[in-house]
Amino acid sequence: IDWRAYMDEVGGFLRGERDYTKLEGDTGPLVYPAGFVYLYAILKKHILGCADDDACADARDVRFAQYVFTVIYVAHLAVTLATYRGCRNASVPPYALVLLVMSKRLHSVFVLRMFNDGVASFFAHAAIFFAQRRRWPLAFFLLSLGVSVKMNVLLALPPALVLVVGSTKPSTAMLSVFVFAA
């Protein structure tokens, strides 16, 4: 259901509609930020090769999209595992990593349903990975990309601000906030 709605919503955008109140799908009006629209429009038009009015709902299109999301899923797992490995106090037991890979919920979000949560989560985890390495402007850029796909990533901003302000020079903190806002 969500896949078809996503494709309908970006179909309106690909036809030239720029008024958010007029972009809608089977489940109602578009409620996601512009990064979602751009990402799924690229997926629909350039990767899947669907026409603007086509919902990309036939089995071939859905299967190929699942392959694309499988790549995103594996990249997400790699970033998450690297983040866990980068924990300084080694408080993450090794069996937790196995449980992460076996999560049916993650398989469902990424590969079966192709939700935008997976893409947003990838950017959020990549931001955490680079924040661990004190690459603040890059971390805030990735956090901004995550917010542009789904707004729930915005919940990571307050702790990220506390960390960047408390652990770096004021110029780096200001640059990071500028990068996020830009």
Side-chain angles (χ1 to χ4, degrees):
I1 293 171
D2 289 345
W3 174 254
R4 185 169 185 81
Y6 290 171
M7 293 297 103
D8 288 344
E9 291 165 355
V10 300
F13 172 78
L14 289 171
R15 286 188 299 276
E17 184 60 61
R18 297 300 182 261
D19 183 352
Y20 253 59
T21 63
K22 295 180 182 173
L23 294 174
E24 58 183 37
D26 288 345
T27 58
L30 174 65
V31 295
Y32 299 116
F36 162 84
V37 175
Y38 295 137
L39 179 74
Y40 279 80
I42 289 168
L43 179 64
K44 180 176 183 172
K45 186 172 184 176
H46 299 293
I47 297 175
L48 296 176
C50 297
D52 297 346
D53 56 348
D54 183 11
C56 288
D58 71 19
R60 183 188 61 82
D61 294 328
V62 170
R63 174 70 61 197
F64 189 72
Q66 286 178 317
Y67 291 141
V68 171
F69 275 81
T70 299
V71 171
I72 297 168
Y73 176 43
V74 170
H76 179 272
L77 282 175
V79 167
T80 304
L81 293 172
T83 301
Y84 284 172
R85 190 166 178 248
C87 291
R88 293 175 193 225
N89 62 4
S91 63
V92 180
Y95 66 83
L97 304 178
V98 174
L99 294 175
L100 175 69
V101 174
M102 294 174 46
S103 168
K104 288 183 181 180
R105 177 67 179 146
L106 283 179
H107 295 320
S108 176
V109 165
F110 281 93
V111 180
L112 296 178
R113 304 192 190 281
M114 298 172 285
F115 288 152
N116 58 344
D117 301 81
V119 178
S121 178
F122 168 76
F123 287 128
H125 281 117
I128 293 168
F129 175 82
F130 286 105
Q132 280 182 328
R133 284 142 186 85
R134 304 206 185 291
R135 304 274 313 273
W136 293 110
L138 181 55
F140 274 77
F141 174 72
L142 291 165
L143 194 63
S144 177
L145 287 178
V147 169
S148 80
V149 174
K150 189 156 185 175
M151 293 294 288
N152 64 348
V153 176
L154 194 58
L155 295 170
L157 185 60
L161 289 170
V162 168
L163 291 172
V164 73
V165 168
S167 68
T168 190
K169 301 181 294 188
S171 60
T172 303
M174 289 188 305
L175 174 64
S176 299
V177 170
F178 174 77
V179 166
F180 179 86

